Amino acid sequence: MEFIKRIGLLYGKLGLSTDPSIIAARYQGLIAAFDEFNEENVPSVVGTALGLKGYELSEKFMSFFLEKDAAFDVAPHDKEAALLASCAISYAFEERFRVEDPLALCLVTASFGSTRPAIADSKLVELAEQKLAELQTDELEVPADRKYKVPEKGWTEAIVALEQPQARSQINVGISAAQQALQALKSYAESNAKAAARSDNDILCYLRRLESEVRVYWWVSSGWSGDTSKPFKQLGCTEAAIRAGKELADKSKSSSVGFFAAPALLSMVLERGRASISEQVTLANAATAAEQAWRRTNFQGISEGIHASLMPLSTAMGLAASSDDEDDWQPRFERLTGIRVTQELTIEQLAIQMYRERLVAGLLK
């Protein structure tokens, strides 16, 4: 009921006077849509919620609302569609669908530091930031101790029946009792094997996270850029931020949403060995700060891909590199993303944006 009220409030904020029965139908449409929702839907829903160029809700997604309301006539790219996309995201967060992981990461990243807020819900990006922090914290959970699985009652009864005098003296009774005992044993063995596999997978997942964290620890401690074979302190602040964000993401592959401590880790890498860090850098300057060949190799494919707008920093770097750093890339970038190249970021913001975009790029492959 609370979520239906939320939908109603969002319709009101858009200036739409909508009958409660229609609001209820929209809610039922969301429930139906999420039976088929998967990671492939994430880019279109996030892009629509933010009003990004080239994104709209799919016909299949919209069809679930039509099923609940025969008069449904929302165009897949208008403000009401953006509202439904926002509701879909917050619904996934509230109901804890597994797709909340990529939704939270993708939305926070694509919003570009809230430069591009959600059209219909001014609180959505903030909600996604909270959810992302929650998910990152949950990933640190230590596997629970494994418990002994007590045999079910049927197992004991089958063994008792097998030991009865009748089972020993009458072959048919004995065979029946043996079959029941074997079936109970089979069931018990299978359930234990499944439990052991789940436990082993939990342990392996935990070990992979630990290995990743150890690699990150040594990377931060060394202050060494593997991509340039130089200490980060020898690189300019802007280039160091971009490369540090990219390299940390490369070492965070055991996590689907990234490390909660990533901003602090990046700050440690950037601050070590420097008297001070530049306060602000424009997007135009950031896009050309690193070596052109390196940018072309790592980011040109993203800038030419169908989800370029979801990763604006990577796209800016790719477009600049493909234009040999001539300024003609800038109008194309602004038309595509709606972000001005004069937009300023702190060095820390630049690093965390690159970190998140690399995670999103891996997610959307």
Side-chain angles (χ1 to χ4, degrees):
M1 185 61 69
E2 288 297 322
F3 195 81
I4 293 178
K5 289 181 180 178
R6 176 180 173 81
I7 297 175
L9 288 172
L10 293 178
Y11 268 94
K13 288 181 179 179
L14 276 186
L16 300 173
S17 180
T18 308
D19 188 272
S21 62
I22 294 179
I23 300 296
R26 298 290 186 269
Y27 177 64
Q28 292 301 319
L30 276 179
I31 294 175
F34 262 89
D35 286 339
E36 302 289 335
F37 200 93
N38 55 45
E39 290 190 2
E40 293 180 3
N41 303 115
V42 169
S44 63
V45 169
V46 168
T48 303
L50 296 178
L52 303 185
K53 184 178 180 181
Y55 288 95
E56 60 180 37
L57 296 179
S58 67
E59 289 184 8
K60 184 175 182 180
F61 186 83
M62 301 290 272
S63 69
F64 291 104
F65 296 91
L66 184 60
E67 289 175 5
K68 302 300 178 181
D69 178 9
F72 183 79
D73 61 350
V74 177
H77 53 270
D78 66 13
K79 286 187 177 181
E80 191 172 355
L83 184 152
L84 294 177
S86 294
C87 289
I89 294 171
S90 54
Y91 180 71
F93 293 163
E94 182 172 291
E95 298 299 322
R96 294 184 173 273
F97 285 93
R98 284 194 60 81
V99 78
E100 68 182 355
D101 297 46
L103 277 172
L105 175 64
C106 194
L107 181 60
V108 170
T109 303
S111 71
F112 203 63
S114 297
T115 298
R116 301 189 289 188
I119 290 177
D121 187 350
S122 60
K123 299 292 184 181
L124 187 64
V125 173
E126 180 182 342
L127 182 65
E129 289 172 344
Q130 294 171 356
K131 175 57 67 172
L132 184 60
E134 177 187 319
L135 294 169
Q136 290 168 335
T137 303
D138 287 346
E139 281 200 344
L140 300 176
E141 184 178 357
V142 178
D145 292 342
R146 186 180 174 189
K147 297 179 180 179
Y148 168 70
K149 184 175 176 61
V150 179
E152 296 178 358
K153 185 178 179 181
W155 164 251
T156 304
E157 293 175 345
I159 295 300
V160 170
L162 189 61
E163 294 173 345
Q164 295 303 306
Q166 278 187 318
R168 298 183 179 184
S169 61
Q170 300 179 28
I171 188 168
N172 290 337
V173 175
I175 292 174
S176 177
Q179 287 175 334
Q180 291 178 16
L182 288 172
Q183 185 60 42
L185 177 61
K186 175 178 177 292
S187 176
Y188 181 63
E190 286 180 345
S191 63
N192 270 289
K194 290 177 181 178
R198 285 194 297 268
S199 177
D200 290 347
N201 287 334
D202 287 344
I203 293 170
L204 287 171
C205 182
Y206 184 66
L207 288 175
R208 291 187 189 106
R209 288 205 308 271
L210 285 180
E211 181 185 12
S212 178
E213 289 177 14
V214 169
R215 291 177 183 275
V216 168
Y217 170 80
W218 287 113
W219 177 78
V220 173
S221 298
S222 69
W224 184 264
S225 167
D227 282 0
T228 62
S229 297
K230 294 179 181 179
F232 281 105
K233 64 183 180 181
Q234 291 184 8
L235 304 175
C237 283
T238 303
E239 181 180 2
I242 291 168
R243 290 185 179 274
K246 185 262 184 188
E247 291 185 29
L248 179 57
D250 290 346
K251 290 175 171 57
S252 305
K253 291 178 180 177
S254 65
S255 169
S256 62
V257 290
F259 295 129
F260 179 76
L265 296 173
L266 290 168
S267 291
M268 289 172 65
V269 168
L270 296 172
E271 290 171 0
R272 183 178 288 111
R274 298 179 192 276
S276 63
I277 294 180
S278 303
E279 292 185 2
Q280 300 279 340
V281 59
T282 65
L283 187 52
N285 289 336
T288 58
E291 180 189 9
Q292 189 180 114
W294 179 80
R295 284 182 282 125
R296 184 177 287 112
T297 298
N298 287 283
F299 305 108
Q300 186 169 343
I302 292 174
S303 68
E304 296 172 350
I306 59 174
H307 299 308
S309 189
L310 296 179
M311 296 167 279
L313 176 56
S314 300
T315 295
M317 295 171 67
L319 289 177
S322 64
S323 296
D324 292 327
D325 293 340
E326 297 293 333
D327 290 346
D328 61 345
W329 69 270
Q330 297 181 6
R332 285 190 292 150
F333 172 81
E334 292 184 350
R335 286 194 300 271
L336 175 64
T337 65
I339 299 173
R340 307 286 293 181
V341 296
T342 53
Q343 168 83 32
E344 292 188 333
L345 302 89
T346 66
I347 294 299
E348 290 85 355
Q349 287 173 331
L350 185 65
I352 193 62
Q353 181 67 27
M354 174 51 62
Y355 173 68
R356 288 172 174 165
E357 288 191 14
R358 293 299 291 179
L359 293 178
V360 170
L363 177 75
L364 298 180
K365 278 185 179 178

